[in-house]
Amino acid sequence: MSTPTIDSVPSAQEPTRSGNKVSSGLFDPQLLVKSLPDALRKLDPRTLWRNPVMLIVEIGAVWSTILAVQKPTFFGWATVIWLWLTVVFANLAEAVAEGRGKAQADTLRKAKTDTVARKFAEWHPGIATPVELKVAAVELQRGDHVVVEAGQVIPGDGDVVEGIASVDESAITGESAPVIRESGGDRSAVTGGTTVLSDRIVVRITQEPGKSFIDKMIALVEGASRQKTPNEIALNILLAALTIIFVFAVATLQPLAIFAKASNPGVPDSLALDSHGVTGIVMVSLLVCLIPTTIGALLSAIGIAGMDRLVQRNVLAMSGRAVEAAGDVNTLLLDKTGTITLGNRQAGDFVPVPGVDAAELADAAQLSSLADETPEGRSIVVFAKSAYGLRERTTGELPGATWVEFTAQTRMSGVDLADGHQLRKGAAGAVVEWVRGQGGSVPTSVHGIVDGISASGGTPLVVAEVKGGKARLLGVIHLKDVVKAGMRERFDEMRRMGIRTVMITGDNPLTAKAIAEEAGVDDFLAEATPEDKLALIRKEQEGGKLVAMTGDGTNDAPALAQADVGVAMNTGTSAAKEAGNMVDLDSDPTKLIEIVEIGKQLLITRGALTTFSIANDIAKYFAIIPAMFVAMFPGLDVLNIMRLHSPQSAILSAVIFNAIIIVMLIPLALRGVNYRPSSASKLLSRNLYIYGLGGIVAPFVGIKLIDLVIQFFPGMS
């Protein structure tokens, strides 16, 4: 085997969207009602301290309530109510995001019923009839061996060490079709809570008590195990810093107002000003409207919703950090077989030698493949039928025929008909040797055809016959890896997102290059070993790039652990699932592309709503500041560009808008901003136009409309 190589291949064409998308968007209004008790419970300062922005709003609401009790007015109590609603709405956003996962958690808990495990007191392959002990599934320890038969529930996560069985994993994956689990190989892992449908297996438990796959999923969907990601922590620090700055800025208005009042004793008291300076409720209103309450209220919900969107696609993320890292991925490593290609080579062409008709070659190829039960053999039969119009035939139609099944030793399949006509199909070397053994000759053109197919990355199978005592070669079947439909477009999409795709394969460089060019990936790693994958990931990371990859085998575990986003297949080994930071329950390697899109959507949603939150503070500033000081400084009336009815209505309208906009943005936070693959500069420009400019315009419109409604309420003159 030659040294692994990485070569560049050309880029491709315009992308189209593909893949199944599951909407995680708008919530049911009933969910709001169900989540309201949780939102009220989150008013506890011991819970709210994790969100410093909303903690400041709650403190302000408490202070305003005290002031309203001391000096009750309609304006004061109306403002207090909306200040409390601001905090409740913020908690509601998080409660709704968490509430959507509780139904999933309840379903998963049903899989954790009081399962009884048939544990072996001692087990190894040499014991014919080991002693069984019946214990509760929750008492199982790592390393225990249990037996599970048809109709029984697998009591815990583990690996099959003996036997083979059909397993129903619908309780975990939602997929009704059963899967095969067997000892050895990369399809030995089983999940607790799934049901064995047939046969008998022995499972070695690999989980610690309370840390099963279902336990992790329940904690994930309920949000209990969600930790803030580095970017989220950084944004929280920024929001806290802005809040502190505005606290000091608003606090300085009090001494300035007292000084201004003392300098102008003839100015009458107003809503915002009295003999002691700025009234407390107005100060709180100004502070709440200026600090970034919108993004502070929605930040946690955005993160939870991002995790939820993965769960809806049957992907279990072990941490929010992994989801966030997916949005920043620069390099995508994808296995060729099963990910880029269908996994089995299929017949793609029949190439006859000179003097042989293509239809004659197709007929011989089909007959000689009827006894070949491999995927490649079946594809030849199907291709001959579809491409050349041959009718479907079976081995029972030819009485007296002797069928030659394909074996790894002979590397041929075929048939000996009753009239002495013999047909063979198989590897070039084996068939050529058979023809020569029958006294036939091999035309030089065959070698050129075989070499040409091999050079293009395909697999040549030669077809020959013995008819009338004469042996001859008929032609060559071109088997090739079939690239999955839409893969080139998906890779084009990745390229537009600024992501470099690398195909990993054990094929020789020539074959790998042909597949890479057809699929449209950027680079490829040929003749790759586990050490080569690990080295490639480290090389990319040394250049400051984030790397994502998929894997399912024990030999993939080191690379999955090293990758920034390691997606293990649920059908894979326990070692692979423990090494990765995500598990795809559907075991679809191409889903890595969707995971990257979800990660990017999470980052874009957070950035867009942060932009909107900071931008809409500008309009609220123009609503409250003129209302506060216009009585003392009439010239500030110029800033009252919305021409609001009165200082009272202006301040209350701003507070009401500040609360309502949180509820209005909850669907967007849960669904996520619509993501279209594009460059970073275009995405930035789009967000600035839509959410930056929109964040400035929306409050002007909203506050004015609210003002038009509340101006008729008492105390608003």
Side-chain angles (χ1 to χ4, degrees):
M1 186 175 289
S2 61
T3 304
T5 60
I6 297 181
D7 296 310
S8 297
V9 296
S11 59
Q13 308 160 356
E14 280 300 312
T16 58
R17 301 289 294 176
S18 60
N20 294 326
K21 301 287 183 181
V22 182
S23 173
S24 59
L26 300 177
F27 51 83
D28 189 328
Q30 293 182 353
L31 189 56
L32 283 175
V33 178
K34 293 180 181 179
S35 302
L36 189 57
D38 289 333
L40 295 176
R41 281 191 289 269
K42 290 177 181 290
L43 290 174
D44 187 341
R46 292 171 297 181
T47 301
L48 206 58
W49 73 267
R50 293 175 297 177
N51 190 338
V53 176
M54 301 318 300
L55 180 61
I56 292 294
V57 177
E58 184 174 54
I59 293 172
V62 171
W63 185 33
S64 298
T65 303
I66 296 173
L67 295 177
V69 170
Q70 294 175 347
K71 189 177 180 180
T73 63
F74 175 83
F75 167 79
W77 278 110
T79 305
V80 165
I81 290 172
W82 281 100
L83 288 175
W84 279 111
L85 286 176
T86 301
V87 186
V88 172
F89 290 163
N91 292 340
L92 188 62
E94 184 174 2
V96 167
E98 292 175 350
R100 297 198 310 168
K102 289 185 177 179
Q104 293 170 309
D106 291 340
T107 301
L108 291 170
R109 282 196 178 92
K110 293 178 182 178
K112 284 191 64 181
T113 54
D114 298 331
T115 304
V116 176
R118 296 167 57 188
K119 173 187 170 183
F120 288 142
E122 181 182 358
W123 184 89
H124 58 77
I127 301 180
T129 56
V131 177
E132 291 185 19
L133 303 174
K134 290 188 176 181
V135 300
V138 293
E139 297 177 6
L140 292 174
Q141 302 289 327
R142 181 193 289 264
D144 288 345
H145 289 79
V146 297
V147 60
V148 191
E149 296 182 340
Q152 296 179 345
V153 176
I154 297 174
D157 301 348
D159 290 324
V160 178
V161 294
E162 181 179 279
I164 180 172
S166 175
V167 179
D168 176 11
E169 295 187 340
S170 59
I172 302 297
T173 66
E175 175 57 53
S176 59
V179 296
I180 300 299
R181 294 290 179 264
E182 57 185 330
S183 60
D186 293 339
R187 294 185 178 270
S188 61
V190 291
T191 305
T194 57
T195 304
V196 173
L197 299 179
S198 68
D199 302 292
R200 172 186 182 275
I201 54 175
V202 176
V203 178
R204 182 180 67 247
I205 300 299
T206 59
Q207 72 183 46
E208 296 288 351
K211 296 182 180 180
S212 70
F213 198 69
I214 292 183
D215 289 322
K216 292 177 182 178
M217 289 191 68
I218 292 173
L220 170 69
V221 298
E222 287 190 325
S225 66
R226 196 187 82 86
Q227 297 180 346
K228 293 185 183 297
T229 62
N231 285 348
E232 196 172 347
I233 293 173
L235 184 54
N236 264 315
I237 293 173
L238 173 62
L239 298 181
L242 290 174
T243 301
I244 293 172
I245 291 172
F246 279 118
V247 167
F248 282 107
V250 172
T252 59
L253 294 177
Q254 181 73 329
L256 290 175
I258 295 174
F259 174 78
K261 181 71 174 177
S263 303
N264 300 276
V267 176
D269 290 346
S270 67
L271 164 78
L273 297 170
D274 57 24
S275 58
H276 298 96
V278 182
T279 60
I281 293 179
V282 173
M283 287 182 62
V284 172
S285 301
L286 176 63
L287 176 63
V288 170
C289 289
L290 292 186
I291 63 177
T293 50
T294 305
I295 186 60
L298 299 174
L299 186 58
S300 182
I302 294 170
I304 295 174
M307 302 277 281
D308 182 65
R309 281 193 290 275
L310 279 178
V311 172
Q312 290 190 24
R313 287 166 173 79
N314 276 350
V315 176
L316 174 63
M318 303 305 178
S319 69
R321 182 190 296 265
V323 185
E324 196 170 82
D328 287 327
V329 160
N330 307 105
T331 304
L332 215 56
L333 306 185
L334 298 164
D335 276 333
K336 183 205 72 174
T337 305
T339 303
I340 296 174
T341 64
L342 293 176
N344 296 313
R345 295 174 183 254
Q346 298 185 0
D349 193 16
F350 293 147
V351 184
V353 298
V356 176
D357 184 67
E360 181 184 1
L361 172 61
D363 183 70
Q366 186 187 58
L367 277 174
S368 60
S369 299
L370 289 178
D372 184 357
E373 294 299 325
T374 65
E376 291 81 2
R378 290 194 294 270
S379 76
I380 295 171
V381 175
V382 172
F383 182 73
K385 176 185 174 183
S386 60
Y388 291 88
L390 299 179
R391 66 181 181 84
E392 185 174 352
R393 291 184 283 191
T394 64
T395 56
E397 294 182 16
L398 300 173
T402 302
W403 297 97
V404 179
E405 296 183 358
F406 177 87
T407 66
Q409 289 73 31
T410 63
R411 297 188 297 160
M412 288 190 302
S413 67
V415 60
D416 295 339
L417 301 176
D419 60 1
H421 187 192
Q422 298 179 330
L423 294 168
R424 293 292 184 273
K425 175 268 309 174
V431 175
V432 166
E433 184 178 347
W434 179 80
V435 169
R436 287 173 175 165
Q438 299 293 327
S441 60
V442 178
T444 56
S445 59
V446 170
H447 298 293
I449 297 172
V450 168
D451 292 342
I453 292 175
S454 299
S456 68
T459 299
L461 295 180
V462 176
V463 181
E465 70 172 359
V466 175
K467 190 173 184 181
K470 182 180 179 182
R472 64 167 182 160
L473 288 172
L474 299 177
V476 183
I477 302 170
H478 183 178
L479 292 182
K480 61 180 181 179
D481 276 323
V482 178
V483 175
K484 291 182 178 179
M487 290 307 297
R488 175 175 284 274
E489 288 77 10
R490 298 299 295 274
F491 291 137
D492 286 343
E493 196 170 287
M494 293 292 103
R495 195 172 294 110
R496 291 177 60 191
M497 293 162 60
I499 297 174
R500 175 172 166 264
T501 53
V502 180
M503 183 186 76
I504 299 177
T505 177
D507 290 340
N508 61 70
L510 199 61
T511 301
K513 186 175 187 297
I515 298 296
E517 289 177 343
E518 183 179 355
V521 296
D522 296 312
D523 302 316
F524 64 86
L525 177 66
E527 297 178 343
T529 64
E531 293 77 14
D532 297 326
K533 297 178 186 179
L534 189 60
L536 176 59
I537 292 173
R538 287 174 174 169
K539 180 181 178 182
E540 293 288 319
Q541 290 173 334
E542 287 172 1
K545 298 178 180 178
L546 296 184
V547 180
M549 75 161 289
T550 61
D552 59 2
T554 301
N555 61 351
D556 291 322
L560 287 171
Q562 181 68 34
D564 301 283
V565 180
V567 183
M569 301 295 101
N570 189 41
T571 57
T573 62
S574 296
K577 290 195 282 189
E578 290 176 2
N581 50 25
M582 290 188 187
V583 177
D584 178 18
L585 304 180
D586 295 330
S587 300
D588 177 9
T590 61
K591 197 178 291 184
L592 180 58
I593 298 174
E594 291 186 38
I595 292 172
V596 171
E597 291 176 346
I598 292 173
K600 286 190 174 295
Q601 185 183 41
L602 170 66
L603 296 179
I604 290 172
T605 301
R606 186 186 298 158
L609 292 183
T610 301
T611 303
F612 182 91
S613 177
I614 295 175
N616 71 19
D617 290 339
I618 298 175
K620 290 179 285 187
Y621 174 90
F622 278 98
I624 294 183
I625 292 297
M628 288 178 59
F629 293 101
V630 70
M632 183 177 297
F633 304 107
L636 288 177
D637 189 57
V638 177
L639 296 179
N640 187 18
I641 58 179
M642 287 184 278
R643 313 315 300 172
L644 301 177
H645 176 69
S646 67
Q648 293 94 326
S649 67
I651 295 173
L652 184 57
S653 296
V655 173
I656 293 174
F657 175 83
N658 192 65
I660 291 177
I661 196 65
I662 294 174
V663 178
M664 294 180 66
L665 289 175
I666 290 177
L668 182 61
L670 298 183
R671 184 184 63 245
V673 173
N674 185 33
Y675 171 66
R676 297 175 182 173
S678 184
S679 64
S681 59
K682 288 183 179 179
L683 289 175
L684 177 61
S685 299
R686 175 173 172 265
N687 283 344
L688 288 177
Y689 278 120
I690 297 177
Y691 299 98
L693 187 59
I696 295 175
V697 174
F700 279 96
V701 177
I703 291 173
K704 180 62 178 179
L705 291 176
I706 295 172
D707 179 75
L708 292 174
V709 174
I710 69 171
Q711 62 179 309
F712 301 106
F713 284 76
M716 291 295 106
S717 58

